[in-house]
Structures are given as structure tokens and as C-alpha cells.
Amino acid sequence: SAADALAQCMGCPSIAVGGPDGADVPVTEEALKAFAAQLQLDLAPGAVQKLLEGPNATGKGSGRCIPARDFLANFGGGVPVAGGAGSGAGAGRSSTGTDAGV
């Protein structure tokens, strides 16, 4: 899932399992690029900054970041609820191209 992939590339298992700190882990431009590379996604120009936008985004330019829950919402889900069945976050080329608008 997208949550599993993000957790792995950021070295933060609580993102994938719905730990108390997982939802607020900041996803940076560097983490987003690692996430895309892990899933073999080809991001269109400007897609990185677009994916880092949102009401809870902080910083500017290359220092911009967004909470993991908001980032994962671009992929059809969010940070899973602890103890829930599955992550609820789908990953794949088609969802990235359609849902995230990239």
C-alpha cells in the first residue's frame, strides 16, 4: 500500500500501522522523491510541489512538507487506524495519475 511504501522509505513504521505519531510525520520533498522512486512512479514537472500542498503544509520551496495523513490522502487513503484491517491506502500508477492530478 502507499502507507507501507511511505513508511519504508521514511524509516517510520508507525505510518503503516497507524501508530500515534504516524499521521503527523512530515513528508518532505526528499521523502516524496524516494517514495516515487520506490514505486517506480514518473512524476510530471511540478508534481512534487503539488503533492506537498494542502491546508496543513508548512515551509516554502524545497523546505515544504505535509503531514503523512494529508500526503496519503492523494493516493486514496490516509494513515490507517491502529488495529484496523488493512491500510485503506491504495498505491499504483493509475491512482497517482488520476487522484493526485499528476
Side-chain angles (χ1 to χ4, degrees):
S1 73
D4 291 326
L6 184 62
Q8 186 176 39
C9 72
M10 291 184 64
C12 184
S14 62
I15 292 172
V17 297
D21 299 323
D24 293 322
V25 172
V27 177
T28 62
E29 182 175 336
E30 182 178 288
L32 172 53
K33 288 178 179 178
F35 171 82
Q38 182 176 358
L39 296 177
Q40 299 178 351
L41 300 174
D42 184 25
L43 296 177
V48 171
Q49 290 305 312
K50 184 172 182 175
L51 287 168
L52 293 177
E53 292 176 355
N56 298 313
T58 59
K60 295 181 180 179
S62 62
R64 191 162 189 80
C65 61
I66 189 169
R69 68 175 173 272
D70 294 351
F71 173 76
L72 291 170
N74 290 305
F75 299 90
V79 174
V81 176
S87 70
R93 293 172 198 242
S94 62
S95 68
T96 306
T98 304
D99 297 338
V102 292

